[in-house]
Amino acid sequence: MTRPPSPESALAQASLLQAMVAIAPKSVRVGCRVIQDGDEAHLLPEEARSILARQPAMRRASGAARWIAHGLLADVGVNDFAILRAPSGTPVWPDGITGSLAHDDEMAVAAVAPVADIGSLGIDVEPAQPLPDDILALVATRSDRTDAADRRLAGRVLFCAKEAVYKAVYPLDREILGYEDIEVDLNAGRAMTKGGRKVSLAYCVAPRVVVLAFVDGGRFRSRADGGNG
Ligand SMILES: CC(C)(COP(=O)(O)OP(=O)(O)OC[C@H]1O[C@@H](n2cnc3c(N)ncnc32)[C@H](O)[C@@H]1OP(=O)(O)O)[C@@H](O)C(=O)NCCC(=O)NCCS
């Protein structure tokens, strides 16, 4: 049985939602939820089967993220749609919709948009804490530009941005990318993959770091080379 969140959790959730709505493009619907005991019960039976082999804490987080996504889909008239986890890890969305899910230890987030407006979406969430130096060394390259970001959190935003870009691009290109394969310019709100896929970025840093990555205006329009995907 899901208990109501504590007042602190409810406040954290409300302020994150406000920050996410402020950064999201108009056609992108976003939501967040503090992960609670019992959230695995929000997985629809087919969803639970598609992620069966996973740890209880991860299933709880996946349940929280899908609870948000079910609500976002219901807002656009799609009810009771099971968001399966494909063998690649990608969530499978209804025809005409793109979306993305993420969770850290405490918070789940989701975003959805019509593919007519947004070719593909990626989202990631992280605690608003500096990224440890050893992880930063793995994530950052000389080409990344982060000077516009809050200096304390720039590394964390960069990490979050690369994960969000990966989630937006993988369903289009089916290519496993490393951090070194994604060039991020936080100043310009843009990223590009080694394959030339251009991605737009929007982020907030309080009360958590959330990055939205999106391929604009249709699936094939954002290749740097102008190619067709
Ligand atoms: C996709 C990936 C980056 C997710 O990161 P994570 O920290 O494990 O988990 P997050 O909470 O941020 O996101 C989990 C959600 O990502 C989504 N996801 C998983 N694999 C995905 C993929 N290939 N494409 C798009 N979305 C994916 C799923 O919806 C998942 O939610 P679920 O488990 O409830 O279904 C990671 O699983 C992965 O595949 N990494 C391999 C490549 C890599 O790490 N490269 C370096 C970063 S660019």
Side-chain angles (χ1 to χ4, degrees):
M1 188 74 175
T2 304
R3 278 177 291 147
S6 66
E8 296 77 20
S9 294
L11 184 61
Q13 194 173 292
S15 51
L16 181 60
L17 180 61
Q18 195 177 14
M20 290 170 64
V21 168
I23 62 163
K26 207 166 146 224
S27 53
V28 177
R29 292 169 186 267
V30 291
C32 61
R33 176 179 174 87
V34 173
I35 300 165
Q36 295 159 53
D37 289 347
D39 273 354
E40 60 276 17
H42 295 302
L43 292 168
L44 297 173
E46 306 95 300
E47 292 173 340
R49 281 196 289 278
S50 78
I51 62 166
L52 247 195
R54 308 184 67 223
Q55 316 245 337
M58 288 305 289
R59 294 183 41 170
R60 198 172 303 136
S62 295
R66 280 170 176 74
W67 181 88
I68 305 162
H70 294 152
L72 299 176
L73 290 177
D75 290 343
V76 294
V78 180
N79 292 295
D80 304 320
F81 183 86
I83 305 160
L84 303 185
R85 192 175 207 272
S88 64
T90 50
V92 181
W93 298 97
D95 285 348
I97 304 275
T98 177
S100 187
L101 310 174
H103 17 78
D104 63 20
D105 290 348
E106 294 167 21
M107 190 72 78
V109 294
V112 304
V115 286
D117 296 332
I118 299 286
S120 188
L121 258 182
I123 193 167
D124 196 32
V125 60
E126 288 281 321
Q129 289 161 11
L131 195 69
D133 288 343
D134 55 336
I135 301 181
L136 183 60
L138 293 174
V139 170
T141 69
R142 284 166 176 271
S143 318
D144 295 322
R145 299 201 57 199
T146 60
D147 29 304
D150 171 320
R151 187 179 263 200
R152 198 179 74 92
L153 294 176
R156 183 69 70 172
V157 178
L158 180 67
F159 173 76
C160 204
K162 292 197 178 191
E163 300 245 326
V165 168
Y166 180 73
K167 290 184 199 176
V169 164
Y170 183 87
L172 301 179
D173 296 341
R174 300 278 157 188
E175 190 177 9
I176 294 176
L177 300 173
Y179 296 110
E180 68 284 2
D181 299 325
I182 301 171
E183 192 178 304
V184 168
D185 183 345
L186 289 180
N187 305 0
R190 284 198 297 260
M192 186 153 75
T193 67
K194 69 171 181 187
R197 182 72 69 179
K198 284 170 150 181
V199 183
S200 301
L201 300 173
Y203 69 91
C204 60
V205 296
R208 299 182 103 68
V209 175
V210 172
V211 178
L212 274 172
F214 44 100
V215 176
D216 297 310
R219 178 169 173 157
F220 300 121
R221 286 189 207 156
S222 289
R223 282 274 195 190
D225 60 9
N228 63 358

